Amino acid sequence: MDSEKYSRSIKLLCPTCGHGTFEYDKEVEDGPICCNSCERVFTRAELIQENGEIIDSEVSEVKAEIVADITKDFRNSMRKAFSGSKNIKFR
């Protein structure tokens, strides 16, 4: 299974104005993050918390894709393993 297939980039939005462009110091890991539109200042944790619904939605989509792919791979491997059997049938 290719883990890169499930890699996502989630665009976080400012909960005040809805814009998604921020300014921050890339060298300071937990430094302040400022919205370029309304100039509201967040910590990284606050911005992630405010965008919890967007993040949860993306996680749910990825989970569904992973389950579907694992199910498909398992089904295909079982078909391949029992393809010569007269007593076992797959639907």
Side-chain angles (χ1 to χ4, degrees):
M1 187 165 25
D2 183 20
S3 63
E4 287 294 317
K5 178 180 177 181
Y6 307 111
S7 178
R8 298 288 189 275
S9 179
I10 302 170
K11 184 164 179 81
L12 302 179
L13 303 174
C14 175
T16 302
C17 66
H19 283 87
T21 55
F22 301 94
E23 189 173 304
Y24 59 96
D25 186 358
K26 293 179 182 177
E27 294 180 16
V28 180
E29 188 172 320
D30 286 330
I33 299 171
C34 181
C35 176
N36 285 342
S37 179
C38 70
E39 298 183 357
R40 181 175 172 188
V41 178
F42 304 92
T43 64
R44 180 181 173 96
E46 290 172 337
L47 189 58
I48 290 171
Q49 181 181 358
E50 292 288 339
N51 283 273
E53 286 184 34
I54 296 169
I55 294 169
D56 290 343
S57 173
E58 283 291 323
V59 168
S60 295
E61 286 179 25
V62 171
K63 281 182 187 178
E65 287 180 31
I66 290 171
V67 168
D69 288 348
I70 288 173
T71 302
K72 181 181 172 186
D73 288 346
F74 180 74
R75 196 176 296 261
N76 289 339
S77 67
M78 290 293 108
R79 279 196 173 118
K80 184 177 178 183
F82 295 107
S83 64
S85 175
K86 295 178 184 178
N87 299 322
I88 298 176
K89 303 280 184 201
F90 287 96
R91 295 182 197 188

